[in-house]
Amino acid sequence: MLSVVEDEVKRFYSELNIIEPVVWNPFKNCVRISWRKKLEIFLGLIFLLPVRLVIGIFLFAFTGLLCLVITAGWNPPDQLRTPLTPWRRKVKDVLPFLVRSLLFALGFHSIKIKGKLASPSEAFITVIAPHSSFLDILLLCEYGYAPSGISRMENVTSPIFGPFFQSLEVIGVSRDDTKSRQNAVKELQYRVITTRGQWPHICIFPEGTCTNGKCLISFKPGAFIPGCPVQPVLLRFLNDSETYSWTWDGPGLSLLAVLLLCQLSNDAEIEFLPVWNPSEEEREDPKLYAENVRQHMARCLNLPVTGHSFEDAVLMSKAVELGLPPSTGVIEFCNTAGKLGINVDCAKEHLERFALIDSDQDGEISLEDFALHYNLPISTPVEEIFKIMDRVLQEYSKPKRSIVVDSNFKDIVDSILETIDDEDYNNHIVRSRNEEFREFLSRHHDLTTLLSSLLPRETPIENHVRESRLI
């Protein structure tokens, strides 16, 4: 049994080749402010905040009123596929000026521009990264006109921000709904291919969520499915980026807004890279297309890339819901899911089981947690089982290199069987290894799942149990 299990596990792990992420949690933002910056913020709180707040509220209200005018009475049968009428487009042309005025009032006195925006005929889609702030969409006023885009459905249907996104002719998408994402891709293809030339540029943040801006996480393939040329656009905040990053684990929107209003000057840079014309291979494979563009943008930004994705943020929220530290849910989902063949719902189920075993909810399963969950005394055999499993799973979870389990893995099964043998010996029962192992696994379903995860999916763990004499 041991040689068969060991060979299969070695083969399984030898296929893993995951690179260690430089940024372990791109969804965490720890704001570090120097004493000089603290003094600047303190003075800004007294002198700048009141003035900027009044001007900002006025400009925001005026912009909202203009968006209401643009969308008033606009309710065609198929709104997503019907461009705004000419007079509405004329009114919409005022939006970039108002948004730029709002940014100036917020302290963005200078926004550097590098490169040139391509015409819609050259590249109808622009992909923008990194997506790290609620300000990112406002910076797009530097396009010179109001572009369209794809945004989460909550923004489009919001009573406050909804008219703004609707006036931009945005395609709404629910990120948790597969059908909604598929429909969004269809609408994108309709605009890019079927009715090309009737719409403004479509701006897409392919990361799909905000990060701390210290790396580029996995790009969603939606923007690349049409197979058309895209123009990469880079966003940089030239001040301390930590005071702008709006992440899942970090300062809230209110605190970031106060920090923004209290800084003497806020500087940003937008760089338009040359249009990326996809190869035939990239047209056939949107994921390859997305990855090649991501690598190119990362090199230009001098940032690393990681296998994190929006699903990691979803698992972070699930971890918090279960009372675990947020970082417990960060698993580099794109890399891990691809190797294990799981989806986010399956990962949530595993996280729930993890929470059941992690009795002290510190994000780690200790020997005490392990023994308590399986109702086992803390003994030498149990401790050995835990140590070996812990070592194997830690090696698996570290995306450092190709992971090959050595021959010590057989100690897992050895220790398990020795423990079973001890139980059977005390009860004066002599059975085959096959019978005893099946009974043991039937009593510990979680352990069955764990062991099965170390074997190829098509080969159940029971098939590797062979008959042998009880030692």
Side-chain angles (χ1 to χ4, degrees):
M1 176 189 72
L2 296 178
S3 61
V4 175
V5 174
E6 183 182 341
D7 290 343
E8 292 294 346
V9 172
K10 280 185 176 181
R11 186 183 68 80
F12 177 75
Y13 278 128
S14 65
E15 296 174 357
L16 297 176
N17 185 20
I18 309 174
I19 301 173
E20 178 180 6
V22 177
V23 180
W24 284 99
N25 188 355
F27 308 103
K28 184 179 180 65
N29 180 30
C30 298
V31 179
R32 303 175 185 86
I33 303 176
S34 64
W35 282 105
R36 182 179 179 180
K37 179 62 72 173
K38 287 179 181 178
L39 178 61
E40 178 186 332
I41 292 174
F42 175 74
L43 294 175
L45 191 64
I46 299 173
F47 299 106
L48 293 176
L49 179 63
V51 178
R52 286 178 170 176
L53 192 60
V54 171
I55 297 175
I57 290 175
F58 171 76
L59 288 171
F60 182 80
F62 190 77
T63 302
L65 181 62
L66 185 68
C67 291
L68 287 175
V69 172
I70 295 171
T71 57
W74 180 245
N75 191 26
D78 194 351
Q79 189 168 348
L80 278 178
R81 296 195 170 190
T82 308
L84 289 174
T85 55
W87 77 264
R88 296 179 192 272
R89 286 272 177 89
K90 288 290 185 183
V91 177
K92 193 177 78 167
D93 288 342
V94 183
L95 282 179
F97 172 75
L98 290 176
V99 173
R100 184 64 187 92
S101 301
L102 176 61
L103 286 172
F104 187 88
L106 296 178
F108 286 92
H109 306 137
S110 173
I111 299 178
K112 296 182 180 180
I113 305 295
K114 288 185 177 181
K116 182 181 178 182
L117 176 65
S119 65
S121 60
E122 293 178 272
F124 186 69
I125 298 174
T126 59
V127 289
I128 308 159
H131 187 21
S132 60
S133 174
F134 58 92
L135 297 166
D136 293 346
I137 191 169
L138 299 181
L139 292 174
L140 301 185
C141 67
E142 294 295 338
Y143 274 45
Y145 66 95
S148 182
I150 294 179
S151 183
R152 60 178 186 165
M153 191 64 71
E154 294 88 339
N155 293 334
V156 180
T157 57
S158 168
I160 299 176
F161 300 104
F164 176 73
F165 285 94
Q166 291 167 21
S167 65
L168 294 179
E169 302 172 271
V170 162
I171 299 172
V173 58
S174 178
R175 294 177 293 186
D176 297 328
D177 186 349
T178 302
K179 186 176 180 180
S180 175
R181 295 197 300 269
Q182 293 172 345
N183 289 337
V185 170
K186 289 180 181 178
E187 295 303 326
L188 177 62
Q189 291 176 311
Y190 177 79
R191 294 190 184 187
V192 172
I193 300 173
T194 309
T195 57
R196 190 183 183 94
Q198 299 181 29
W199 306 87
H201 279 96
I202 292 184
C203 303
I204 297 176
F205 296 94
E207 291 175 295
T209 188
C210 286
T211 68
N212 57 21
K214 295 180 180 178
C215 65
L216 290 188
I217 64 173
S218 301
F219 279 10
K220 297 294 184 184
F224 307 92
I225 289 176
C228 299
V230 300
Q231 182 173 28
V233 180
L234 311 180
L235 294 184
R236 298 183 182 93
F237 291 99
L238 305 181
N239 303 67
D240 296 331
S241 61
E242 295 169 350
T243 58
Y244 304 103
S245 297
W246 186 26
T247 60
W248 292 74
D249 185 10
L253 183 60
S254 300
L255 178 56
L256 291 175
V258 170
L259 292 174
L260 173 70
L261 293 170
C262 291
Q263 294 187 93
L264 182 62
S265 178
N266 300 291
D267 300 312
E269 179 182 274
I270 301 175
E271 181 176 0
F272 297 100
L273 297 179
V275 172
W276 185 287
N277 291 289
S279 64
E280 190 62 36
E281 188 179 6
E282 289 172 333
R283 292 178 190 273
E284 296 295 327
D285 187 351
K287 290 184 178 179
L288 175 65
Y289 188 5
E291 180 59 22
N292 289 344
V293 172
R294 180 175 76 133
Q295 294 288 348
H296 175 61
M297 296 177 73
R299 286 193 295 270
C300 295
L301 288 163
N302 195 27
L303 289 177
V305 296
T306 70
H308 300 94
S309 66
F310 169 70
E311 286 76 12
D312 284 283
V314 172
L315 293 175
M316 282 180 69
S317 297
K318 183 64 176 181
V320 172
E321 179 186 322
L322 295 170
L324 298 169
S327 58
T328 308
V330 180
I331 60 173
E332 264 203 301
F333 186 82
C334 271
N335 285 342
T336 306
K339 299 301 179 183
L340 296 182
I342 61 173
N343 58 24
V344 69
D345 291 329
C346 182
K348 284 182 180 180
E349 292 175 6
H350 283 289
L351 195 58
E352 290 172 355
R353 287 198 288 269
F354 181 94
L356 289 175
I357 302 176
D358 185 15
S359 57
D360 54 3
Q361 296 185 325
D362 63 350
E364 295 182 358
I365 296 178
S366 63
L367 172 62
E368 289 74 17
D369 295 330
F370 179 80
L372 180 63
H373 179 75
Y374 288 107
N375 196 25
L376 296 170
I378 298 180
S379 58
T380 302
V382 172
E383 187 174 355
E384 287 300 315
I385 294 172
F386 176 77
K387 283 181 179 179
I388 295 167
M389 285 186 172
D390 186 50
R391 178 184 62 78
V392 172
L393 293 177
Q394 282 188 15
E395 283 300 309
Y396 168 71
S397 65
K398 291 178 183 176
K400 290 184 177 180
R401 54 191 177 279
S402 295
I403 303 165
V404 180
V405 179
D406 58 31
S407 58
N408 287 334
F409 173 74
K410 72 184 183 64
D411 294 341
I412 296 177
V413 182
D414 271 341
S415 299
I416 292 173
L417 294 177
E418 285 173 10
T419 303
I420 302 171
D421 289 347
D422 290 341
E423 293 179 7
D424 290 342
Y425 180 78
N426 292 334
N427 295 323
H428 304 290
I429 300 174
V430 177
R431 295 174 298 168
S432 70
R433 281 286 175 86
N434 193 35
E435 293 171 339
E436 66 191 30
F437 200 28
R438 284 178 182 274
E439 182 177 334
F440 180 82
L441 292 177
S442 70
R443 297 200 304 269
H444 300 291
H445 296 292
D446 289 345
L447 197 56
T448 307
T449 303
L450 178 62
L451 291 174
S452 296
S453 69
L454 301 175
L455 298 172
R457 285 189 172 274
E458 67 273 9
T459 313
I461 185 72
E462 292 88 348
N463 292 352
H464 292 283
V465 182
R466 294 181 174 178
E467 299 285 340
S468 64
R469 290 189 307 109
L470 187 65
I471 298 175

